[in-house]
Amino acid sequence: MPPSQALSVPQKALQKLGLGRDIDLALHLPLRYEDETRLTRLRDAREGEVVQFEATVTACDIAYRPRRQLVVTVDDESDTCVLRFFTFYPSQQKSLAVGTRLRLRGELRGGFLGWQMVHPAYQLAGGALPEALTPVYPTVAGLPQAYLRKAVLSGLARADLADTLPPAAAEQVGPHGLWQLAQALRFLHHPSPDVSLATLEDRSHPAWQRLKAEELLAQQLAQLQSKREREHLQSPLLRPVRAGLHELLLVALPFQLTTAQRRVGAEIARDLARAVPMHRLLQGDVGSGKTVVAALAAAVAIDAGWQCALMVPTEILAEQHFRRLIGWLEPLLAARGQCVAWLTGSQKKKERTEMLALVASGAAALVVGTHAVIQDHVQFRQLALVIIDEQHRFGVAQRLALRSKMTEKGLEPHLLMMSATPIPRTLAMSYYADLDVSTIDQLPAGRTPVVTKLVSESRRDEVIERIRAQLALGRQVYWVCPLIEESEALDLTNATATHEALTAALPGVMVGLLHSRMPPAEKRAVMSLFTGGQMGVLVSTTVIASPFDSVPVV
């Protein structure tokens, strides 16, 4: 018989949870805890509390109204409680016979008829109380908590829990230093009853802090290892050419670069000039000029005879980038017999076929698109630079798929990721440990400073009045409807409801709606009405990336 078939149901369940090694069991941490270390008298209990008490069964009957149930009454000499079991067996009824002394645990519910409990846990009274809080672990079907607790404690006793931090490093964290790893794990699996449950539940207890430090250390080491492995990879050397596309674009731009743009541009140029793959995060507020920095980086790659790909999460953003880059680069590329191509999922077959041919031949020096760029049938001739906008909205597999489009064996493309999402420096240093970070911390001249205010939902009417006042001054407003949980369907529902509410609240004002499910022609029409000034308010999902200047944001 194969070993897998010889396993018991709980053992198979352990394997399903990935708990095959002692260290896996030791790191399988509780979801919550139950306090079974003390007994409470019913007269001292409160409504809604989970309590443990000992009492004697005084009645045990089967009731049929409103549904079949086992009704048991118990008395702890201070008060009585009615226990209700909607699912029960004959053996259970026998174990709850009149006169039996029980230890019960459950949530107390009050009412006109006194205390009640539904399906409480119970056992015969007597015996010593536990000396520690009882852990409740994540589990699956076929793996009872009692079996899992024994397995975890057994694995904890056998696991090698040598500390990963030197004592000197642990002492530098906080006024009391960090707990040792073994000490923290043993405590979390077997906490003393005097510990504050709140500190365990919100994970602020020193034992949890030690494991948080362990997780951050492991993440940092993994990222450092990834960075060191990348240093052994090869990438094309991309250097600006004298009087080439990079210099021509700088001259052709209708504005001067800011000091911050020149600084981050130089950082990117230095990376591209190395034979090691660039992995750089470019962050900056909306309107800080990340796109032009990316265009200059693309110009360097094109000057060196390679192609560049820019992938963005939505078609609206792709089209905005495409139009802007065409305005800057198309006149310069046309003189070289090249162009800017774009690929999206909604393109018609004829247009898509033409674009694919341009990409495969190398005539498309820059390719702008959505997820369509990483489809199998998209073949680049010489891809050397990958730019990903709003990088936090792409998964690792999607970024790797675009990197794999490079056809030259033994070479990796350079990778530039952009984000307008504020990332504190500490987070950038930890989570993006395998990335070099460039920050555009300066807005272009003439830009109105961004003022951010948080307004309670209860003051929504005041916000609408502010919009009405801005419209009276001849200004425009766009209202973005993001949700904490990313969901295109929920975003659309939220935006549609907001559009209807603003339309009703602002009679005589053209209120537009923009979302990803609209046909491309309809999207362009809405954008045209807004940029043309005919539309006063634009309600949008998070697909929008504002190309508008001096527009109040609500």
Side-chain angles (χ1 to χ4, degrees):
M1 180 182 296
S4 60
Q5 295 182 10
L7 296 176
S8 65
V9 172
Q11 288 172 330
K12 290 180 180 178
L14 283 175
Q15 286 193 346
K16 185 176 181 180
L17 281 175
L19 305 179
R21 302 174 301 168
D22 292 334
I23 189 63
D24 299 327
L25 289 164
L27 294 174
H28 191 66
L29 299 172
L31 283 172
R32 56 186 176 86
Y33 299 88
E34 294 178 346
D35 188 357
E36 298 179 354
T37 64
R38 67 196 73 187
L39 296 174
T40 302
R41 296 174 66 84
L42 285 175
R43 70 182 179 189
D44 299 327
R46 296 180 180 178
E47 165 78 18
E49 275 188 331
V50 176
V51 298
Q52 180 174 250
F53 65 100
E54 290 187 351
T56 303
V57 178
T58 58
C60 180
D61 301 290
I62 297 177
Y64 293 92
R65 292 183 181 179
R67 55 180 288 193
R68 186 175 184 272
Q69 56 186 291
L70 180 63
V71 181
V72 180
T73 303
V74 297
D75 187 340
D76 78 337
E77 289 84 40
S78 74
D79 206 340
T80 61
C81 181
V82 175
L83 317 177
R84 298 186 183 275
F85 298 88
F86 297 105
T87 302
F88 59 93
Y89 303 95
S91 59
Q92 201 170 357
Q93 189 175 357
K94 290 180 181 179
S95 66
L96 296 171
V98 174
T100 305
R101 186 76 176 172
L102 300 173
R103 181 177 294 170
L104 302 118
R105 178 178 175 80
E107 180 182 344
L108 274 178
R109 301 179 183 179
F112 295 110
L113 301 178
W115 294 121
Q116 294 190 47
M117 274 188 180
V118 177
H119 282 276
Y122 67 91
Q123 63 185 45
L124 292 176
L129 293 171
E131 296 181 356
L133 299 178
T134 303
V136 178
Y137 294 98
T139 189
V140 294
L143 185 58
Q145 284 290 329
Y147 186 97
L148 184 53
R149 289 182 189 120
K150 290 181 180 178
V152 167
L153 290 178
S154 178
L156 183 64
R158 295 190 303 264
D160 180 9
L161 301 177
D163 217 270
T164 54
L165 290 177
E171 291 171 1
Q172 295 175 6
V173 182
H176 306 294
L178 281 176
W179 284 28
Q180 292 183 346
L181 178 61
Q183 177 190 13
L185 284 172
R186 292 190 181 105
F187 181 87
L188 290 175
H189 287 299
H190 203 68
S192 57
D194 58 346
V195 68
S196 168
L197 269 175
T199 62
L200 292 177
E201 291 171 354
D202 66 13
R203 303 196 172 188
S204 61
H205 190 276
W208 276 115
Q209 296 295 327
R210 176 63 181 90
L211 292 190
K212 290 177 184 179
E214 190 74 17
E215 186 175 350
L216 287 173
L217 175 62
Q219 190 269 344
Q220 283 279 78
L221 291 175
Q223 297 284 38
L224 179 60
Q225 182 180 2
S226 174
K227 187 171 185 178
R228 287 177 175 174
E229 289 175 353
R230 194 174 68 249
E231 290 174 352
H232 296 289
L233 301 176
Q234 296 291 314
S235 285
L237 290 169
L238 307 178
R239 296 190 178 98
V241 177
R242 185 179 297 277
L245 184 62
H246 183 271
E247 290 188 5
L248 293 175
L249 177 57
L250 281 173
V251 173
L253 289 173
F255 51 82
Q256 294 292 321
L257 297 183
T258 64
T259 302
Q261 286 172 321
R262 289 195 295 271
R263 170 174 48 78
V264 300
E267 292 171 353
I268 293 169
R270 284 195 297 270
D271 285 352
L272 295 177
R274 300 174 64 222
V276 177
M278 173 179 71
H279 270 218
R280 185 169 288 276
L281 172 67
L282 174 60
Q283 60 182 3
D285 290 338
V286 172
S288 61
K290 297 187 297 296
T291 304
V292 70
V293 172
L296 289 166
V300 173
I302 296 169
D303 268 338
W306 296 81
Q307 290 173 291
C308 174
L310 169 60
M311 185 168 71
V312 295
T314 67
E315 289 196 16
I316 293 177
L317 184 54
E319 185 171 353
Q320 290 170 4
H321 277 308
F322 180 66
R323 293 183 181 280
R324 195 174 305 176
L325 292 169
I326 275 187
W328 293 337
L329 291 171
E330 189 77 5
L332 304 176
L333 289 174
R336 305 158 59 109
Q338 294 177 302
C339 65
V340 180
W342 83 309
L343 292 168
T344 65
S346 65
Q347 278 178 313
K348 294 183 178 180
K349 184 177 180 180
K350 181 180 178 181
E351 181 185 8
R352 186 176 182 80
T353 302
E354 292 174 353
M355 292 295 172
L356 290 174
L358 290 171
V359 175
S361 67
L366 173 61
V367 182
V368 182
T370 59
H371 299 76
V373 174
I374 61 177
Q375 299 302 312
D376 291 339
H377 54 269
V378 180
Q379 299 295 326
F380 288 82
R381 184 180 179 186
Q382 285 184 306
L383 178 64
L385 174 62
V386 170
I387 303 173
I388 300 177
D389 196 13
E390 297 298 321
Q391 61 85 25
H392 58 279
R393 300 187 67 175
F394 290 100
V396 174
Q398 292 167 324
R399 294 197 289 265
L400 291 176
L402 188 50
R403 286 172 55 192
S404 68
K405 292 294 180 181
M406 189 167 193
T407 55
E408 284 70 14
K409 292 183 179 180
L411 291 180
E412 283 275 320
H414 296 281
L415 179 61
L416 176 65
M417 294 183 280
M418 302 192 295
S419 178
T421 304
I423 301 174
R425 178 64 180 165
T426 51
L427 181 58
M429 291 172 65
S430 58
Y431 189 74
Y432 295 103
D434 68 332
L435 297 177
D436 297 305
V437 181
S438 292
T439 303
I440 302 180
D441 52 8
Q442 176 186 12
L443 289 176
R447 290 274 183 177
T448 304
V450 176
V451 178
T452 302
K453 294 184 179 181
L454 181 65
V455 181
S456 170
E457 175 68 23
S458 62
R459 298 175 59 192
R460 193 181 185 94
D461 291 342
E462 296 178 32
V463 174
I464 294 176
E465 286 303 316
R466 176 68 182 271
I467 291 175
R468 187 178 284 111
Q470 294 295 316
L471 294 171
L473 296 174
R475 295 175 179 171
Q476 294 171 283
V477 174
Y478 66 90
W479 185 308
V480 183
C481 297
L483 293 177
I484 295 175
E485 295 292 336
E486 288 195 21
S487 165
E488 187 175 342
L490 293 177
D491 273 351
L492 177 55
T493 302
N494 190 19
T496 302
T498 302
H499 174 256
E500 293 174 354
L502 290 178
T503 300
L506 300 169
V509 177
M510 183 185 294
V511 180
L513 176 63
L514 190 66
H515 57 80
S516 62
R517 296 185 182 179
M518 295 167 59
E522 189 175 344
K523 293 178 190 174
R524 286 192 291 270
V526 171
M527 296 286 284
S528 178
L529 286 171
F530 192 70
T531 54
Q534 297 96 320
M535 183 179 291
V537 180
L538 176 60
V539 179
S540 172
T541 60
T542 52
V543 300
I544 193 170
S546 172
F548 316 117
D549 293 324
S550 304
V551 179
V553 181
V554 178

